Amino acid sequence: MAKPFASSADTAPKAETLEVLADGVYAFTSEGDPNVGAIEGEDHVVCFDARATPVAAADWLTALREHTDKPVRHLVLSHYHAVRTLGASAFGAAEIIMHAETRALIGERGEQDWASEHARMPRLFKEPGSIPGLTWPTITFSAQISLALGGDRGDLVLGHAGRGHTKGDVYAWLPDRKILFAGDLVESEAALYTGDAYHKDWLRTLDGIAALGAEVLVGGRGAVVHGAENVEAAIEQTKCFLLTLIAAVEPVHAAGGDVRTAFDAAHQALEPTYGKWPIFEHCLPFDVQRFWDELDGIVDPRIWTPERDREVWALLQDRG
């Protein structure tokens, strides 16, 4: 039986949970859907990631407003993917912050990514007509910037540890509280999407993330992780997914095999551990194709479009 394309058949609503991580620090999770968060300053709020549409973002903001009525001054976007950026207009943020590479990627492929992700994950695009267009930053940076939260709240550090899930991934770090918002650089019991990744660079980037010494981690998907040992385990889980994928695909490529054989090898290696986790079957064809491209010498990810998505899905995942 043919598998439904990507997450197109995933139509059931997910339970949404707002978790207070510390005084004025919040995470909003949704059973494996993309996570978002917020940090209160003395007289403002910094939000981290935006959801896929303004209407979907409004659900998160409604929950947040039960805890604070401070205005959103900064909206930080972890990377360029549509499910993270297209809801930005709901926040009314004075400043939208992203990495300089993320801004470049939006310019290069934002429209195509929007169409691709909408087709792959239609449930996340609640009332897509509410999206006014692509999201553009007012502030970009390359390495690190700090946002003063005011009073005795310290600083929120925004950093770029290197290429990983995309070329421009940003994390948000509260050093005084050891709370880290990692975006899709780290997942908690959720499969990795690596279709726009730099697989081997990502492993080095994770070493930088681990060196921060977080004791609370909000990953891109999955439950919030509490405790230094559990944070370390989540980072190692992310590494293990990458290493297993690399170890399965690389020998097939070296032996002159084809990408379908590589996909089968990767599926066999990864499925026992990760197969029941959110979006595993959705992600794996795109993951394998991207790493295969890297092995072919294609340094930067090729642009995903709905047409290319379907071609890769038919070749690798939907073979009857």
Side-chain angles (χ1 to χ4, degrees):
M1 181 180 296
K3 293 179 179 177
F5 172 67
S7 292
S8 60
D10 179 11
T11 59
K14 308 297 184 186
E16 299 177 331
T17 302
L18 187 149
E19 185 172 343
V20 180
L21 308 180
D23 181 30
V25 185
Y26 311 98
F28 198 58
T29 63
S30 185
E31 295 188 294
D33 281 354
N35 295 334
V36 292
I39 303 96
E40 281 191 59
E42 188 73 7
D43 59 0
H44 66 282
V45 173
V46 181
C47 285
F48 189 79
D49 277 336
R51 308 191 99 186
T53 71
V55 172
D59 293 340
W60 150 227
L61 289 167
T62 296
L64 180 64
R65 290 307 179 208
E66 295 180 5
H67 296 265
T68 178
D69 61 0
K70 296 173 185 176
V72 178
R73 180 179 298 170
H74 303 286
L75 172 61
V76 180
L77 299 177
S78 63
H79 60 284
Y80 77 94
H81 286 154
V83 295
R84 302 288 180 180
T85 63
L86 294 182
S89 63
F91 292 78
E95 305 286 357
I96 297 176
I97 305 175
M98 62 180 68
H99 194 272
E101 293 285 7
T102 295
R103 191 203 187 286
L105 288 164
I106 289 172
E108 177 189 54
R109 59 186 68 197
E111 292 283 357
Q112 297 95 321
D113 182 72
W114 177 352
S116 168
E117 294 199 33
H118 188 198
R120 293 185 191 184
M121 299 173 280
R123 179 177 52 77
L124 298 183
F125 286 79
K126 187 175 182 181
E127 297 189 30
S130 65
I131 301 169
L134 295 174
T135 300
W136 299 100
T138 60
I139 298 172
T140 63
F141 70 98
S142 295
Q144 181 175 296
I145 60 173
S146 295
L147 303 178
L149 297 174
D152 60 356
R153 295 174 182 268
D155 289 347
L156 176 66
V157 178
L158 307 180
H160 174 68
R163 300 190 302 186
H165 176 71
T166 71
K167 189 185 292 189
D169 297 291
V170 169
Y171 63 81
W173 169 233
L174 283 164
D176 293 345
R177 304 188 189 192
K178 296 190 181 300
I179 299 173
L180 176 65
F181 293 85
D184 282 321
L185 283 170
V186 184
E187 308 291 7
S188 175
E189 297 193 355
L192 270 62
Y193 175 69
T194 73
D196 296 299
Y198 298 80
H199 287 78
K200 293 183 179 180
D201 284 5
W202 195 342
L203 294 168
R204 293 187 289 272
T205 295
L206 286 170
D207 290 338
I209 294 295
L212 293 171
E215 295 179 1
V216 179
L217 168 72
V218 183
R221 294 173 182 262
V224 177
V225 180
H226 295 270
E229 290 186 2
N230 292 328
V231 170
E232 182 179 349
I235 294 170
E236 284 302 310
Q237 164 212 296
T238 302
K239 273 190 171 183
C240 284
F241 188 104
L242 292 166
L243 288 167
T244 304
L245 176 65
I246 290 167
V249 173
E250 210 162 33
V252 178
H253 190 275
D258 58 41
V259 69
R260 289 207 285 188
T261 303
F263 174 80
D264 291 340
H267 195 283
Q268 183 176 2
L270 288 161
E271 195 277 336
T273 300
Y274 303 97
K276 301 301 182 185
W277 289 2
I279 67 172
F280 173 77
E281 296 291 352
H282 167 163
C283 291
L284 193 60
F286 309 116
D287 295 354
V288 171
Q289 183 63 64
R290 167 55 186 154
F291 185 52
W292 190 265
D293 286 351
E294 285 188 283
L295 294 173
D296 278 344
I298 300 172
V299 175
D300 290 318
R302 290 192 280 161
I303 295 173
W304 293 104
T305 64
E307 295 76 21
R308 182 169 177 244
D309 289 353
R310 291 282 184 174
E311 289 172 3
V312 169
W313 188 267
L315 177 66
L316 301 183
Q317 187 69 289
D318 187 11
R319 289 185 277 155

